[in-house]
Amino acid sequence: MKRIIPPLLVALLFAGQVVFADMNSAAAHAFLDRASPAVGSTVHTPPTEVRIQYTEELEPAYSAAHVEDASGATVSTAAHVDENERSVLIVPLGALKPGRYKVIWKVLSVDTHITNGTFSFTVAP
Amino acid sequence: MIRLTHGLAALGAATLLLSVTVSMAHAHAVCGDRVFPATLTIDDPGVGDELSLPTIQYLPIPASGGGPSGRSVDYGYEWDKTITQDLGFALNGDYFTRHDAGETLHGWDNITLTLKDELPCSEANEFMVSVGVIRLFARSGSAQLRSAGAISSVGSTQPTLYLGKGLGELPVDYLRPLAVTGEVGYQVSDSSHVSPSQWAYGASLQYSMPYLQQHVKALDVPEFFTRLVPLVEISFTSPTRGPTTGTISPGILYESDKWQFGVEAIISGNHATRLSQGTGVLLQFHLFLDDIFPNSLGKPLFDTNLWKP
Protein backbone atom coordinates (compact mmCIF):
# COMPACT_ATOMS: atom_id res chain seq x y z
CA MET A 1 0.00 0.00 0.00
CA LYS A 2 2.90 2.35 0.68
CA ARG A 3 3.83 2.22 -3.03
CA ILE A 4 0.63 3.97 -3.99
CA ILE A 5 1.11 6.94 -1.69
CA PRO A 6 3.83 8.85 -3.65
CA PRO A 7 2.05 8.73 -7.04
CA LEU A 8 -1.28 9.50 -5.39
CA LEU A 9 0.24 12.48 -3.62
CA VAL A 10 1.72 13.73 -6.89
CA ALA A 11 -1.67 13.27 -8.53
CA LEU A 12 -3.46 15.27 -5.85
CA LEU A 13 -0.85 18.04 -5.88
CA PHE A 14 -1.03 18.25 -9.68
CA ALA A 15 -4.81 18.34 -9.58
CA GLY A 16 -4.75 21.07 -6.95
CA GLN A 17 -2.31 23.12 -8.98
CA VAL A 18 -4.50 22.86 -12.06
CA VAL A 19 -7.63 23.88 -10.17
CA PHE A 20 -5.80 26.85 -8.71
CA ALA A 21 -4.36 27.83 -12.08
CA ASP A 22 -7.81 27.65 -13.62
CA MET A 23 -8.92 30.50 -11.42
CA ASN A 24 -6.10 32.78 -12.57
CA SER A 25 -5.46 32.20 -16.23
CA ALA A 26 -7.29 32.60 -19.49
CA ALA A 27 -6.38 29.95 -22.03
CA ALA A 28 -8.95 27.40 -23.02
CA HIS A 29 -11.73 26.70 -25.47
CA ALA A 30 -13.92 29.77 -26.01
CA PHE A 31 -17.40 28.66 -25.05
CA LEU A 32 -20.43 30.90 -24.93
CA ASP A 33 -20.76 32.40 -21.47
CA ARG A 34 -23.80 34.65 -22.01
CA ALA A 35 -25.50 36.51 -24.82
CA SER A 36 -27.77 39.50 -25.34
CA PRO A 37 -30.49 38.79 -26.32
CA ALA A 38 -30.15 35.79 -24.04
CA VAL A 39 -30.05 32.25 -25.43
CA GLY A 40 -33.61 31.06 -26.03
CA SER A 41 -35.14 34.32 -24.85
CA THR A 42 -38.10 36.33 -26.14
CA VAL A 43 -37.69 40.10 -26.45
CA HIS A 44 -40.34 42.66 -27.24
CA THR A 45 -38.03 45.40 -28.47
CA PRO A 46 -36.09 44.43 -31.61
CA PRO A 47 -32.36 44.43 -30.73
CA THR A 48 -29.92 46.37 -32.85
CA GLU A 49 -27.11 43.94 -32.20
CA VAL A 50 -26.35 40.54 -30.73
CA ARG A 51 -23.63 40.61 -28.12
CA ILE A 52 -21.98 37.30 -27.27
CA GLN A 53 -19.69 37.00 -24.26
CA TYR A 54 -17.25 34.07 -24.43
CA THR A 55 -15.27 32.36 -21.71
CA GLU A 56 -11.97 33.32 -23.40
CA GLU A 57 -10.55 36.13 -25.49
CA LEU A 58 -10.94 35.79 -29.26
CA GLU A 59 -8.75 36.16 -32.32
CA PRO A 60 -10.64 38.85 -34.30
CA ALA A 61 -9.45 37.68 -37.72
CA TYR A 62 -10.85 34.18 -37.23
CA SER A 63 -14.02 34.88 -35.24
CA ALA A 64 -17.33 35.47 -36.96
CA ALA A 65 -21.08 35.16 -36.56
CA HIS A 66 -24.25 35.93 -38.43
CA VAL A 67 -27.97 35.93 -37.73
CA GLU A 68 -30.64 34.30 -39.87
CA ASP A 69 -34.40 34.72 -39.85
CA ALA A 70 -36.85 31.83 -40.03
CA SER A 71 -36.49 31.64 -43.82
CA GLY A 72 -32.70 31.39 -43.60
CA ALA A 73 -32.05 34.90 -44.86
CA THR A 74 -29.16 36.75 -43.23
CA VAL A 75 -30.31 39.78 -41.25
CA SER A 76 -26.96 40.86 -39.83
CA THR A 77 -23.85 42.62 -41.07
CA ALA A 78 -20.21 41.75 -40.43
CA ALA A 79 -19.49 40.72 -36.85
CA HIS A 80 -16.52 42.10 -34.96
CA VAL A 81 -14.71 41.54 -31.69
CA ASP A 82 -15.20 44.33 -29.16
CA GLU A 83 -11.96 46.35 -29.06
CA ASN A 84 -12.37 47.03 -25.36
CA GLU A 85 -13.38 43.53 -24.35
CA ARG A 86 -11.81 40.90 -26.58
CA SER A 87 -13.97 38.10 -25.24
CA VAL A 88 -17.07 39.76 -26.72
CA LEU A 89 -18.31 39.31 -30.28
CA ILE A 90 -20.77 41.89 -31.60
CA VAL A 91 -23.13 41.14 -34.49
CA PRO A 92 -24.90 44.27 -35.85
CA LEU A 93 -28.50 43.67 -36.93
CA GLY A 94 -30.84 45.25 -39.44
CA ALA A 95 -34.41 46.14 -38.53
CA LEU A 96 -35.92 42.94 -37.17
CA LYS A 97 -39.58 42.03 -37.56
CA PRO A 98 -41.35 39.78 -35.06
CA GLY A 99 -40.16 36.21 -35.50
CA ARG A 100 -37.57 33.64 -34.46
CA TYR A 101 -33.90 34.28 -35.25
CA LYS A 102 -30.92 31.97 -35.23
CA VAL A 103 -27.40 33.08 -34.33
CA ILE A 104 -24.60 31.02 -35.89
CA TRP A 105 -21.07 31.61 -34.61
CA LYS A 106 -17.57 30.25 -35.04
CA VAL A 107 -14.65 31.64 -33.06
CA LEU A 108 -10.98 31.08 -32.46
CA SER A 109 -9.74 31.63 -28.92
CA VAL A 110 -6.36 33.23 -28.34
CA ASP A 111 -4.89 29.83 -27.47
CA THR A 112 -5.90 28.59 -30.96
CA HIS A 113 -8.92 26.44 -30.14
CA ILE A 114 -11.81 26.66 -32.60
CA THR A 115 -15.37 26.35 -31.32
CA ASN A 116 -18.68 26.93 -33.00
CA GLY A 117 -22.33 26.91 -32.05
CA THR A 118 -25.82 28.17 -32.57
CA PHE A 119 -28.67 29.56 -30.50
CA SER A 120 -32.00 31.24 -31.11
CA PHE A 121 -34.02 34.15 -29.78
CA THR A 122 -37.48 35.43 -30.59
CA VAL A 123 -38.73 38.94 -31.25
CA ALA A 124 -42.34 39.19 -30.14
CA PRO A 125 -44.73 41.97 -31.18
CA MET B 1 -12.86 5.76 -19.08
CA ILE B 2 -10.02 3.37 -19.59
CA ARG B 3 -7.60 2.59 -16.82
CA LEU B 4 -3.97 3.70 -16.82
CA THR B 5 -0.98 2.28 -15.05
CA HIS B 6 2.34 3.72 -13.91
CA GLY B 7 1.09 7.29 -13.94
CA LEU B 8 4.40 8.81 -13.00
CA ALA B 9 6.11 7.14 -15.94
CA ALA B 10 3.40 8.49 -18.20
CA LEU B 11 3.83 11.97 -16.79
CA GLY B 12 7.57 11.74 -17.32
CA ALA B 13 7.16 10.69 -20.91
CA ALA B 14 4.64 13.43 -21.44
CA THR B 15 7.06 16.04 -20.16
CA LEU B 16 9.48 15.08 -22.93
CA LEU B 17 6.98 16.29 -25.46
CA LEU B 18 7.05 19.92 -24.32
CA SER B 19 8.81 21.18 -27.42
CA VAL B 20 6.43 21.90 -30.21
CA THR B 21 5.18 24.88 -32.16
CA VAL B 22 1.96 26.85 -32.15
CA SER B 23 -0.90 25.89 -34.44
CA MET B 24 -4.65 25.58 -34.35
CA ALA B 25 -5.74 23.03 -31.83
CA HIS B 26 -8.64 20.62 -31.90
CA ALA B 27 -9.45 18.45 -28.95
CA HIS B 28 -12.22 17.49 -26.60
CA ALA B 29 -14.91 15.34 -28.18
CA VAL B 30 -16.63 18.29 -29.86
CA CYS B 31 -19.07 17.93 -32.76
CA GLY B 32 -20.96 21.06 -33.76
CA ASP B 33 -22.85 22.40 -30.77
CA ARG B 34 -22.17 19.22 -28.79
CA VAL B 35 -19.34 18.60 -26.36
CA PHE B 36 -19.22 14.97 -25.28
CA PRO B 37 -17.68 14.88 -21.81
CA ALA B 38 -15.19 12.27 -20.66
CA THR B 39 -17.30 9.47 -19.22
CA LEU B 40 -16.01 7.37 -16.33
CA THR B 41 -17.05 3.81 -17.15
CA ILE B 42 -16.90 3.74 -20.95
CA ASP B 43 -14.72 5.77 -23.28
CA ASP B 44 -15.98 8.92 -25.01
CA PRO B 45 -16.27 8.96 -28.82
CA GLY B 46 -13.40 11.33 -29.51
CA VAL B 47 -9.64 11.60 -29.21
CA GLY B 48 -7.91 14.25 -27.16
CA ASP B 49 -5.05 15.35 -24.97
CA GLU B 50 -6.30 14.50 -21.53
CA LEU B 51 -5.24 13.00 -18.24
CA SER B 52 -7.39 11.18 -15.72
CA LEU B 53 -5.52 11.47 -12.47
CA PRO B 54 -6.64 9.91 -10.28
CA THR B 55 -9.57 7.62 -10.88
CA ILE B 56 -10.53 5.88 -7.64
CA GLN B 57 -12.92 2.97 -7.56
CA TYR B 58 -14.20 1.42 -4.33
CA LEU B 59 -16.09 -1.87 -4.44
CA PRO B 60 -17.29 -3.97 -1.51
CA ILE B 61 -16.85 -7.72 -1.94
CA PRO B 62 -19.80 -9.70 -0.59
CA ALA B 63 -19.30 -12.52 1.89
CA SER B 64 -19.46 -16.00 0.42
CA GLY B 65 -19.59 -19.46 2.00
CA GLY B 66 -19.78 -18.00 5.51
CA GLY B 67 -16.53 -16.10 4.99
CA PRO B 68 -16.08 -12.41 5.77
CA SER B 69 -16.81 -9.70 3.30
CA GLY B 70 -14.03 -7.56 1.84
CA ARG B 71 -13.34 -4.62 -0.39
CA SER B 72 -11.22 -3.61 -3.34
CA VAL B 73 -9.87 -0.18 -4.19
CA ASP B 74 -8.34 0.77 -7.53
CA TYR B 75 -6.25 3.91 -8.10
CA GLY B 76 -6.41 4.41 -11.85
CA TYR B 77 -4.57 6.57 -14.34
CA GLU B 78 -5.08 7.40 -17.98
CA TRP B 79 -3.08 9.56 -20.35
CA ASP B 80 -4.58 10.37 -23.74
CA LYS B 81 -2.30 11.86 -26.40
CA THR B 82 -3.10 12.97 -29.93
CA ILE B 83 -0.68 11.97 -32.68
CA THR B 84 -2.58 13.87 -35.37
CA GLN B 85 -5.82 15.85 -34.94
CA ASP B 86 -7.88 12.69 -35.42
CA LEU B 87 -5.53 9.91 -34.26
CA GLY B 88 -4.50 9.34 -30.68
CA PHE B 89 -3.40 6.80 -28.14
CA ALA B 90 -4.22 6.17 -24.50
CA LEU B 91 -2.07 4.51 -21.87
CA ASN B 92 -3.87 3.30 -18.81
CA GLY B 93 -4.10 0.97 -15.87
CA ASP B 94 -4.34 1.09 -12.11
CA TYR B 95 -2.86 0.20 -8.76
CA PHE B 96 -5.05 -2.51 -7.34
CA THR B 97 -5.71 -3.33 -3.69
CA ARG B 98 -8.02 -6.00 -2.30
CA HIS B 99 -8.78 -6.97 1.29
CA ASP B 100 -10.77 -10.16 1.29
CA ALA B 101 -11.15 -13.14 3.63
CA GLY B 102 -8.39 -11.87 5.89
CA GLU B 103 -5.91 -11.51 3.05
CA THR B 104 -4.55 -8.37 1.45
CA LEU B 105 -3.43 -8.16 -2.15
CA HIS B 106 -1.97 -5.12 -3.84
CA GLY B 107 0.10 -4.23 -6.87
CA TRP B 108 0.05 -2.73 -10.34
CA ASP B 109 -2.51 -3.95 -12.81
CA ASN B 110 -1.60 -4.74 -16.41
CA ILE B 111 -0.94 -1.86 -18.81
CA THR B 112 -3.45 -1.21 -21.57
CA LEU B 113 -2.67 0.74 -24.73
CA THR B 114 -5.37 2.06 -27.03
CA LEU B 115 -4.94 3.41 -30.55
CA LYS B 116 -8.00 5.35 -31.70
CA ASP B 117 -9.00 7.33 -34.78
CA GLU B 118 -11.84 9.86 -34.89
CA LEU B 119 -13.76 9.98 -38.16
CA PRO B 120 -15.08 13.31 -39.48
CA CYS B 121 -18.18 14.14 -37.47
CA SER B 122 -21.55 15.32 -38.75
CA GLU B 123 -21.83 18.68 -37.01
CA ALA B 124 -25.43 19.28 -38.02
CA ASN B 125 -26.44 15.93 -36.53
CA GLU B 126 -24.02 16.07 -33.57
CA PHE B 127 -22.90 12.57 -34.56
CA MET B 128 -19.40 11.28 -34.19
CA VAL B 129 -17.70 7.93 -34.65
CA SER B 130 -14.28 6.63 -33.72
CA VAL B 131 -12.61 3.29 -34.25
CA GLY B 132 -9.87 1.85 -32.10
CA VAL B 133 -7.84 -1.11 -31.00
CA ILE B 134 -7.21 -1.82 -27.31
CA ARG B 135 -4.21 -3.99 -26.45
CA LEU B 136 -3.87 -5.51 -22.97
CA PHE B 137 -0.26 -6.43 -22.12
CA ALA B 138 -0.66 -9.41 -19.82
CA ARG B 139 2.76 -9.52 -18.19
CA SER B 140 3.09 -5.82 -17.47
CA GLY B 141 1.43 -5.97 -14.04
CA SER B 142 2.27 -7.43 -10.66
CA ALA B 143 3.38 -11.08 -10.66
CA GLN B 144 1.81 -11.49 -7.21
CA LEU B 145 -1.58 -10.34 -8.48
CA ARG B 146 -1.24 -12.51 -11.55
CA SER B 147 -0.45 -15.64 -9.57
CA ALA B 148 -3.40 -14.90 -7.26
CA GLY B 149 -5.71 -14.61 -10.24
CA ALA B 150 -6.57 -11.01 -9.41
CA ILE B 151 -5.42 -9.72 -12.81
CA SER B 152 -5.31 -11.35 -16.20
CA SER B 153 -2.41 -13.59 -17.11
CA VAL B 154 -3.47 -13.59 -20.75
CA GLY B 155 -3.18 -10.67 -23.14
CA SER B 156 -5.92 -9.57 -25.51
CA THR B 157 -6.60 -7.35 -28.49
CA GLN B 158 -9.94 -5.58 -28.84
CA PRO B 159 -11.13 -3.79 -31.97
CA THR B 160 -13.68 -1.25 -30.77
CA LEU B 161 -16.26 1.08 -32.28
CA TYR B 162 -17.18 4.29 -30.43
CA LEU B 163 -20.30 6.35 -31.13
CA GLY B 164 -21.69 9.65 -29.90
CA LYS B 165 -25.01 11.25 -30.83
CA GLY B 166 -26.37 14.51 -29.49
CA LEU B 167 -30.14 14.86 -29.53
CA GLY B 168 -30.16 18.57 -30.31
CA GLU B 169 -32.61 17.97 -33.15
CA LEU B 170 -35.42 16.97 -30.78
CA PRO B 171 -38.50 19.21 -31.06
CA VAL B 172 -38.84 19.72 -27.30
CA ASP B 173 -36.31 22.32 -26.17
CA TYR B 174 -35.66 20.86 -22.74
CA LEU B 175 -34.84 17.44 -24.27
CA ARG B 176 -32.24 18.83 -26.67
CA PRO B 177 -29.39 18.66 -24.10
CA LEU B 178 -29.72 14.85 -24.11
CA ALA B 179 -27.00 12.78 -25.74
CA VAL B 180 -26.08 9.13 -25.99
CA THR B 181 -22.67 7.57 -26.42
CA GLY B 182 -21.71 3.97 -26.81
CA GLU B 183 -18.92 1.55 -27.49
CA VAL B 184 -18.79 -2.05 -28.60
CA GLY B 185 -15.76 -4.27 -29.09
CA TYR B 186 -14.71 -7.88 -29.31
CA GLN B 187 -11.82 -8.75 -27.03
CA VAL B 188 -9.76 -11.46 -28.73
CA SER B 189 -7.87 -13.45 -26.11
CA ASP B 190 -4.26 -14.46 -26.81
CA SER B 191 -5.10 -17.84 -25.29
CA SER B 192 -8.82 -18.45 -25.39
CA HIS B 193 -8.63 -21.86 -23.68
CA VAL B 194 -7.20 -20.09 -20.60
CA SER B 195 -9.21 -16.86 -20.77
CA PRO B 196 -12.16 -16.73 -23.17
CA SER B 197 -12.63 -14.05 -25.76
CA GLN B 198 -15.56 -11.77 -25.05
CA TRP B 199 -17.80 -9.00 -26.25
CA ALA B 200 -17.44 -5.73 -24.35
CA TYR B 201 -20.11 -3.10 -24.76
CA GLY B 202 -21.51 -0.10 -22.99
CA ALA B 203 -23.51 3.08 -23.36
CA SER B 204 -24.23 6.35 -21.62
CA LEU B 205 -27.24 8.65 -21.50
CA GLN B 206 -26.33 12.19 -20.49
CA TYR B 207 -28.07 15.52 -19.98
CA SER B 208 -25.77 18.48 -20.59
CA MET B 209 -26.61 21.59 -18.60
CA PRO B 210 -23.84 23.48 -20.50
CA TYR B 211 -25.65 22.62 -23.75
CA LEU B 212 -28.94 23.85 -22.31
CA GLN B 213 -27.34 27.09 -21.18
CA GLN B 214 -25.34 27.79 -24.36
CA HIS B 215 -27.65 26.56 -27.12
CA VAL B 216 -31.21 26.20 -25.89
CA LYS B 217 -32.25 28.37 -22.98
CA ALA B 218 -30.09 30.45 -20.65
CA LEU B 219 -31.41 29.84 -17.15
CA ASP B 220 -31.01 32.34 -14.35
CA VAL B 221 -29.40 29.90 -11.94
CA PRO B 222 -26.03 29.86 -10.15
CA GLU B 223 -23.17 29.07 -12.53
CA PHE B 224 -22.38 25.85 -10.68
CA PHE B 225 -25.58 24.25 -11.95
CA THR B 226 -24.89 25.29 -15.53
CA ARG B 227 -21.74 23.14 -15.51
CA LEU B 228 -23.30 19.85 -14.45
CA VAL B 229 -23.90 16.80 -16.61
CA PRO B 230 -26.03 14.14 -14.92
CA LEU B 231 -25.63 10.79 -16.63
CA VAL B 232 -26.01 7.06 -16.38
CA GLU B 233 -23.57 4.58 -17.87
CA ILE B 234 -23.91 0.86 -18.45
CA SER B 235 -21.03 -1.47 -19.19
CA PHE B 236 -21.18 -5.22 -19.79
CA THR B 237 -18.95 -8.07 -20.97
CA SER B 238 -20.21 -11.32 -22.46
CA PRO B 239 -17.52 -14.02 -22.68
CA THR B 240 -17.78 -16.93 -25.07
CA ARG B 241 -17.75 -19.15 -21.97
CA GLY B 242 -19.33 -18.08 -18.70
CA PRO B 243 -21.92 -15.55 -17.62
CA THR B 244 -22.43 -11.99 -18.77
CA THR B 245 -21.47 -9.44 -16.12
CA GLY B 246 -21.73 -5.70 -15.96
CA THR B 247 -22.61 -2.56 -14.10
CA ILE B 248 -25.05 0.34 -14.17
CA SER B 249 -23.51 3.61 -13.04
CA PRO B 250 -25.63 6.70 -12.40
CA GLY B 251 -23.65 9.80 -11.56
CA ILE B 252 -22.83 13.39 -12.26
CA LEU B 253 -20.00 15.36 -13.88
CA TYR B 254 -18.88 18.90 -13.15
CA GLU B 255 -17.31 20.61 -16.19
CA SER B 256 -14.75 23.33 -15.61
CA ASP B 257 -12.91 25.04 -18.46
CA LYS B 258 -9.79 22.93 -17.91
CA TRP B 259 -10.85 20.02 -15.77
CA GLN B 260 -13.74 17.79 -14.95
CA PHE B 261 -14.74 15.99 -11.78
CA GLY B 262 -17.05 13.00 -11.87
CA VAL B 263 -18.65 10.69 -9.37
CA GLU B 264 -20.76 7.63 -10.08
CA ALA B 265 -22.31 4.81 -8.12
CA ILE B 266 -21.38 1.35 -9.40
CA ILE B 267 -24.38 -0.94 -9.25
CA SER B 268 -24.27 -4.58 -10.29
CA GLY B 269 -26.15 -5.02 -13.53
CA ASN B 270 -27.22 -8.62 -13.06
CA HIS B 271 -27.16 -11.56 -10.65
CA ALA B 272 -23.81 -12.90 -11.85
CA THR B 273 -22.20 -9.55 -11.09
CA ARG B 274 -23.83 -9.31 -7.65
CA LEU B 275 -22.12 -12.55 -6.65
CA SER B 276 -18.71 -10.90 -6.90
CA GLN B 277 -19.28 -7.26 -5.94
CA GLY B 278 -21.59 -4.97 -4.03
CA THR B 279 -22.56 -1.40 -4.83
CA GLY B 280 -19.46 0.77 -5.03
CA VAL B 281 -18.42 4.24 -6.00
CA LEU B 282 -16.18 5.73 -8.71
CA LEU B 283 -14.48 9.13 -8.50
CA GLN B 284 -12.42 10.78 -11.19
CA PHE B 285 -10.49 13.99 -11.64
CA HIS B 286 -9.91 14.62 -15.33
CA LEU B 287 -7.64 17.23 -16.88
CA PHE B 288 -8.02 18.73 -20.36
CA LEU B 289 -4.35 19.02 -21.34
CA ASP B 290 -5.26 20.75 -24.60
CA ASP B 291 -6.54 23.66 -22.53
CA ILE B 292 -3.84 23.58 -19.86
CA PHE B 293 -0.89 23.23 -22.26
CA PRO B 294 -2.40 24.34 -25.60
CA ASN B 295 0.91 25.01 -27.34
CA SER B 296 2.95 22.04 -26.15
CA LEU B 297 1.80 18.87 -24.42
CA GLY B 298 -1.84 19.51 -25.26
CA LYS B 299 -1.56 19.62 -29.05
CA PRO B 300 -1.12 16.88 -31.66
CA LEU B 301 2.40 15.72 -32.46
CA PHE B 302 1.62 16.34 -36.13
CA ASP B 303 -0.79 19.13 -37.00
CA THR B 304 -2.64 17.23 -39.70
CA ASN B 305 -5.89 15.36 -40.01
CA LEU B 306 -5.78 12.03 -41.83
CA TRP B 307 -9.32 12.63 -43.09
CA LYS B 308 -8.72 16.20 -44.25
CA PRO B 309 -5.50 16.16 -46.30
Side-chain angles (χ1 to χ4, degrees):
Chain A
M1 187 62 189
K2 289 178 181 175
R3 292 176 59 193
I4 191 63
I5 293 174
L8 189 61
L9 187 61
V10 170
L12 293 174
L13 286 172
F14 187 58
Q17 195 275 335
V18 169
V19 172
F20 182 75
D22 190 34
M23 294 185 288
N24 295 289
S25 65
H29 285 76
F31 291 117
L32 186 150
D33 186 25
R34 67 181 72 89
S36 175
V39 174
S41 65
T42 297
V43 295
H44 294 278
T45 303
T48 57
E49 65 180 24
V50 173
R51 191 176 177 86
I52 310 173
Q53 170 88 52
Y54 291 90
T55 54
E56 304 295 339
E57 292 190 349
L58 308 176
E59 286 290 350
Y62 298 98
S63 300
H66 70 279
V67 180
E68 295 178 354
D69 65 16
S71 69
T74 298
V75 295
S76 59
T77 56
H80 61 274
V81 173
D82 189 331
E83 291 179 359
N84 300 316
E85 197 172 0
R86 289 192 57 191
S87 58
V88 172
L89 189 65
I90 296 171
V91 193
L93 297 170
L96 299 188
K97 298 174 182 175
R100 187 174 171 87
Y101 295 89
K102 184 176 185 179
V103 183
I104 302 163
W105 57 264
K106 183 173 186 176
V107 298
L108 177 69
S109 65
V110 290
D111 77 334
T112 74
H113 286 109
I114 296 173
T115 49
N116 58 308
T118 63
F119 69 90
S120 297
F121 66 89
T122 300
V123 176
Chain B
M1 193 283 296
I2 310 175
R3 296 187 243 162
L4 165 98
T5 295
H6 304 315
L8 289 179
L11 272 177
T15 305
L16 296 176
L17 298 169
L18 288 166
S19 60
V20 269
T21 55
V22 178
S23 66
M24 291 192 184
H26 300 258
H28 283 52
V30 178
C31 184
D33 288 357
R34 182 69 53 174
V35 179
F36 293 100
T39 41
L40 276 61
T41 308
I42 66 170
D43 202 359
D44 65 63
V47 299
D49 288 286
E50 301 172 355
L51 184 68
S52 297
L53 187 70
T55 301
I56 301 175
Q57 175 181 280
Y58 169 84
L59 281 175
I61 302 170
S64 60
S69 58
R71 67 182 186 280
S72 72
V73 184
D74 278 5
Y75 303 89
Y77 305 80
E78 175 174 324
W79 176 43
D80 294 82
K81 179 77 201 105
T82 53
I83 301 168
T84 65
Q85 293 170 5
D86 58 303
L87 181 68
F89 68 83
L91 184 66
N92 51 296
D94 59 280
Y95 190 87
F96 175 86
T97 68
R98 187 174 74 188
H99 307 276
D100 187 23
E103 294 183 1
T104 298
L105 272 176
H106 58 85
W108 290 104
D109 199 347
N110 293 315
I111 290 175
T112 300
L113 181 67
T114 301
L115 186 66
K116 187 176 177 186
D117 188 55
E118 180 183 310
L119 279 60
C121 89
S122 171
E123 293 191 354
N125 298 302
E126 301 175 2
F127 179 60
M128 69 190 306
V129 177
S130 292
V131 293
V133 178
I134 304 169
R135 174 64 192 172
L136 172 72
F137 297 98
R139 296 199 165 271
S140 55
S142 157
Q144 181 197 9
L145 294 183
R146 195 162 55 246
S147 62
I151 63 173
S152 178
S153 59
V154 177
S156 63
T157 303
Q158 180 182 317
T160 302
L161 177 69
Y162 308 87
L163 302 167
K165 175 74 178 85
L167 303 182
E169 304 144 307
L170 289 177
V172 180
D173 278 352
Y174 284 101
L175 296 181
R176 291 177 56 206
L178 284 168
V180 292
T181 67
E183 68 174 52
V184 58
Y186 188 70
Q187 191 181 82
V188 182
S189 172
D190 290 355
S191 182
S192 59
H193 62 282
V194 177
S195 177
S197 298
Q198 59 186 3
W199 286 98
Y201 46 95
S204 78
L205 175 66
Q206 32 189 278
Y207 190 89
S208 172
M209 290 296 291
Y211 188 99
L212 177 69
Q213 195 74 7
Q214 294 169 21
H215 303 294
V216 181
K217 177 75 175 174
L219 302 179
D220 187 19
V221 296
E223 184 185 359
F224 173 82
F225 296 103
T226 70
R227 292 177 174 266
L228 298 177
V229 181
L231 79 169
V232 60
E233 297 185 66
I234 61 169
S235 178
F236 280 82
T237 55
S238 296
T240 53
R241 298 189 311 273
T244 292
T245 56
T247 57
I248 301 170
S249 304
I252 197 159
L253 309 175
Y254 176 85
E255 301 282 336
S256 173
D257 293 341
K258 297 187 182 67
W259 52 270
Q260 170 190 296
F261 178 76
V263 57
E264 292 182 350
I266 307 171
I267 302 168
S268 299
N270 60 11
H271 178 68
T273 311
R274 277 190 290 277
L275 293 176
S276 61
Q277 67 182 57
T279 298
V281 65
L282 182 62
L283 305 168
Q284 184 184 79
F285 189 74
H286 188 90
L287 304 169
F288 300 117
L289 298 182
D290 56 317
D291 286 326
I292 299 168
F293 306 111
N295 298 317
S296 53
L297 182 63
K299 58 169 286 188
L301 297 176
F302 303 98
D303 191 29
T304 61
N305 188 313
L306 302 177
W307 297 96
K308 300 172 185 173

